[in-house]
Amino acid sequence: MTAHIDAFDRYRHGHSILHRLDPRLKVVIVVAYIVSNSLLPDGAWSAFTAAWLVLLLANALAGLGITYTFKRSFVALPFALAAVTVLFVPEGNPLVDVHIMRSTFLVTDAGLVRFGSIVARSWLSVQMAILLVTVTQFPDLIHAWEHLRVPRILTTVVAFLYRYLFVLSDEVLRLLRAREARSAAAPGHRAGGSLAWRARGAGHLAGQLFVRSYERSDRIYQAMLARGYSGHIRTLNPHDVHLRDWLVAFVALILIAALQWLGWR
Amino acid sequence: MYFSPVVLHIPDGFLSLTVALVCWLLTVVLVGLAISKTNRSLGDRQVPLMGVMAAFIFAAQMINFPVAGGTSGHLIGGALAAVLLGPWAAMIVMTAVIAVQALLLQDGGLVAMGANILNMGLLTVAISAGLYRVVARRSAQVRLLVCGAAAWLAVLAGALATSLELWLSSTVSLQVVVPAMLGLHAVIGVGEALITVAAVAFLLRTRPDLVTNGADGPAGLGWVAAGLALSALTLLLVPFASSDPDGLERVARDLGFLARGQPRFGPLIDYAFAGLADTPAASIGAGLVGALVVLAAILVVGRALRGRS
């Protein structure tokens, strides 16, 4: 069991128009789309539907099949639980009584609209974010940030994090497997010690991981110096914005503006 | 599962744009400060180290331990990073971790990222670093004790900030979500505290040279003040928010944080809690008892660890 790159990275190789689009324009478009979703008023169902159609179009343009991001979009769902409470906004007309523990909650139409809108916004936004990393290699994304004036120290730390994430994940999986191998339990018998004992075990794993990471960072630095590292990370992909990129970005921003118009009409 | 998500990661769509932008503003200012401070004090040598440390925090979040009934405790890492790396470096490291979680795993949104960095990265680090600096020159046992208490409080502060931001975006009702979030994270925080204490104790025993934060250099009075102030604010707001949400709502409305036209979560919700102890005194009492239980637990663990060394 090793953490291969696909355990974390969603990038899917391709040559579609979205794959080839300049990364910084992709970041700008995705952020604009997400901001546009937050700006749409509650209950703007036609605009939410149109935003969903834009998303399907983007999926198709990326050559992934139109349901690609939908299948991977359930990560944000648990959080919707927190928003369930807005169902009971006292404004608006009551629809259904819910009885929980001798108390009566009224689900109102205003609450239902608010809840639906929050879930729609979040679900559309998370799908667009998934699409971004599906059609952009992570190092290119980091490079895009550099162009967008994110401080270099931050992008470099993120680049190292990405590079060593997989190495240290392997390390942690080895530690966890070793713990697993030493944690045999006979059927019918309680295994393991007290809560504090188990927590101490986990803490020792974390401490051990820290020591190994620290020592590794030293070797990494020496190896990088030996290969000519000069304090910043290079990429082979030239990031030039062509006319075609500007055109795609222009069309995308027009579409987003149209969504706003539809929502506030 | 490789990665167990933390409840605190807010996805996009749950924060109003105003709240998201205010959080981004605070985050940008604080991270910018952290970058200028670390740029001054660190050489090229330290940047790869911070990157590997960020990967360490990311990987350490995969370490879990069974608690009871199929639930497991695991690490968020703000306190551990603060103690091991010092506050400014820890802030940059946590920012990188949260940014990569949002970008790569969609764990937390992009526009909501400012709020997530603020809640889980900056707030937790400021509280832990500040409290730890108070006792940086004391005995190992005192340091471990404060380390655990700080880790617990930091998780609670993160949960409080998260629920307040959601409430100001009128995405959740204060009356239900604040007690639920704080209750849940009071438990999650115990796991965080136990793992943090055990990890630091392990390092103090095996590689004391790596745990140097605060023991050298100036005392960092600013951090001490910030840590104490944020802790005090958390300890004051937690009982107030969970016992008297209507009061909090009124204060926010008077200060202009809540718009007049915003949907108000009215007294209907209160019926659910009418049977429970509702008075501020009872709630503060419960909070104090909880804090004492955690302190006692940490004390016992600290003693056990001490006995081993």
Side-chain angles (χ1 to χ4, degrees):
Chain A
M1 183 167 77
T2 51
H4 293 298
I5 199 147
D6 51 357
F8 293 111
D9 204 330
R10 296 177 196 273
Y11 177 69
R12 292 270 300 259
H13 192 63
H15 298 283
S16 74
I17 185 161
L18 293 190
H19 281 86
R20 281 177 297 156
L21 186 60
D22 185 82
R24 72 200 104 152
L25 289 181
K26 278 192 257 195
V27 170
V28 169
I29 294 168
V30 168
V31 170
Y33 180 82
I34 294 172
V35 168
S36 149
N37 285 336
S38 346
L39 281 175
L40 287 177
D42 286 351
W45 302 122
S46 52
F48 286 133
T49 315
W52 182 57
L53 290 176
V54 168
L55 189 71
L56 292 184
L57 176 73
N59 266 300
L61 279 181
L64 298 162
I66 54 171
T67 56
Y68 182 84
T69 54
F70 174 72
K71 288 186 204 142
R72 285 154 187 78
S73 65
F74 296 97
V75 278
L77 216 56
F79 217 88
L81 266 184
V84 164
T85 49
V86 296
L87 282 173
F88 313 113
V89 184
E91 284 137 25
N93 307 313
L95 294 176
V96 194
D97 292 0
V98 183
H99 297 276
I100 304 168
M101 293 195 300
R102 282 184 298 158
S103 328
T104 305
F105 294 98
L106 281 179
V107 176
T108 61
D109 52 357
L112 202 59
V113 166
R114 175 102 186 108
F115 178 71
S117 306
I118 290 170
V119 171
R121 278 189 201 107
S122 151
W123 180 68
L124 290 167
S125 303
V126 79
Q127 288 197 58
M128 199 48 111
I130 290 172
L131 190 64
L132 175 67
V133 285
T134 310
V135 299
T136 318
Q137 282 178 322
F138 203 73
D140 284 341
L141 213 52
I142 296 170
H143 202 226
W145 284 15
E146 259 174 37
H147 282 299
L148 295 169
R149 307 256 180 271
V150 173
R152 171 149 296 167
I153 184 169
L154 211 52
T155 54
T156 313
V157 169
V158 167
F160 275 98
L161 164 56
Y162 178 75
R163 175 62 189 82
Y164 291 99
L165 179 57
F166 305 100
V167 180
L168 292 186
S169 301
D170 273 351
E171 195 81 67
V172 104
L173 289 178
R174 275 197 290 277
L175 287 167
L176 291 175
R177 191 168 46 200
R179 182 178 68 175
E180 199 76 9
R182 286 157 182 77
S183 307
H189 290 271
R190 220 178 134 268
S194 62
L195 182 68
W197 181 83
R198 285 187 301 238
R200 196 172 59 193
H204 287 183
L205 288 191
Q208 184 66 42
L209 183 69
F210 178 76
V211 172
R212 289 187 191 180
S213 314
Y214 193 90
E215 282 167 356
R216 190 162 227 155
S217 79
D218 209 43
R219 276 186 289 144
I220 289 167
Y221 186 62
Q222 299 301 333
M224 289 177 66
L225 282 185
R227 286 161 182 79
Y229 175 69
S230 62
H232 100 265
I233 289 178
R234 297 185 182 86
T235 160
L236 279 179
N237 300 352
H239 286 174
D240 304 319
V241 187
H242 300 290
L243 181 65
R244 188 195 58 210
D245 296 326
W246 286 119
L247 277 178
V248 175
F250 182 70
V251 171
L253 292 178
I254 293 279
L255 276 177
I256 290 169
L259 292 180
Q260 284 299 312
W261 173 79
L262 201 60
W264 289 98
R265 193 165 49 113
Chain B
M1 182 139 173
Y2 286 120
F3 186 79
S4 40
V6 182
V7 190
L8 293 179
H9 291 92
I10 307 172
D12 279 324
F14 282 79
L15 290 182
S16 74
L17 200 58
T18 322
V19 172
L21 287 181
V22 169
C23 290
W24 261 119
L25 191 71
L26 286 171
T27 301
V28 166
V29 168
L30 281 171
V31 174
L33 206 60
I35 287 171
S36 77
K37 292 274 180 191
T38 40
N39 263 343
R40 214 175 301 153
S41 64
L42 301 180
D44 255 6
R45 169 77 192 78
Q46 260 79 13
V47 176
L49 173 67
M50 280 187 351
V52 179
M53 284 301 121
F56 156 70
I57 294 288
F58 203 111
Q61 292 188 346
M62 293 196 281
I63 297 175
N64 58 355
F65 67 99
V67 176
T71 60
S72 62
H74 75 112
L75 199 64
I76 296 169
L80 190 58
V83 170
L84 294 179
L85 307 173
W88 293 121
M91 281 187 169
I92 292 178
V93 161
M94 289 305 287
T95 302
V97 169
I98 294 159
V100 170
Q101 281 168 349
L103 279 167
L104 206 57
L105 306 171
Q106 281 75 48
D107 210 357
L110 297 183
V111 173
M113 197 200 288
N116 285 329
I117 292 174
L118 189 67
N119 302 340
M120 280 181 294
L122 310 184
L123 199 56
T124 54
V125 166
I127 288 183
S128 318
L131 293 185
Y132 189 75
R133 292 251 160 154
V134 177
V135 294
R137 285 159 219 266
R138 299 298 187 83
S139 70
Q141 197 173 1
V142 174
R143 269 190 287 169
L144 286 178
L145 192 72
V146 170
C147 202
W152 181 77
L153 198 62
V155 172
L156 210 64
L160 180 70
T162 305
S163 24
L164 291 183
E165 284 152 16
L166 289 171
W167 161 61
L168 288 174
S169 311
S170 49
T171 302
V172 300
S173 94
L174 197 61
Q175 288 87 346
V176 177
V177 169
V178 167
M181 279 286 265
L182 292 178
L184 180 64
H185 285 87
V187 179
I188 290 178
V190 174
E192 170 93 357
L194 289 173
I195 299 187
T196 306
V197 167
V200 175
F202 173 83
L203 288 169
L204 282 177
R205 204 162 63 229
T206 54
R207 292 290 302 271
D209 54 311
L210 298 183
V211 194
T212 55
N213 170 40
D216 52 347
L221 280 180
W223 282 109
V224 171
L228 289 178
L230 287 171
S231 311
L233 192 65
T234 309
L235 286 177
L236 281 176
L237 266 179
V238 163
F240 185 48
S242 41
S243 69
D244 188 17
D246 288 330
L248 190 58
E249 208 147 349
R250 200 165 49 241
V251 171
R253 215 166 276 265
D254 291 346
L255 291 176
F257 287 134
L258 281 184
R260 301 277 154 193
Q262 227 160 352
R264 206 182 114 65
F265 300 100
L268 270 176
I269 305 293
D270 287 343
Y271 291 121
F273 293 93
L276 301 177
D278 234 359
T279 60
S283 188
I284 291 172
L288 277 178
V289 169
L292 283 177
V293 168
V294 172
L295 270 181
I298 291 167
L299 199 65
V300 168
V301 176
R303 235 169 242 288
L305 294 169
R306 188 82 171 163
R308 271 296 178 97
S309 54

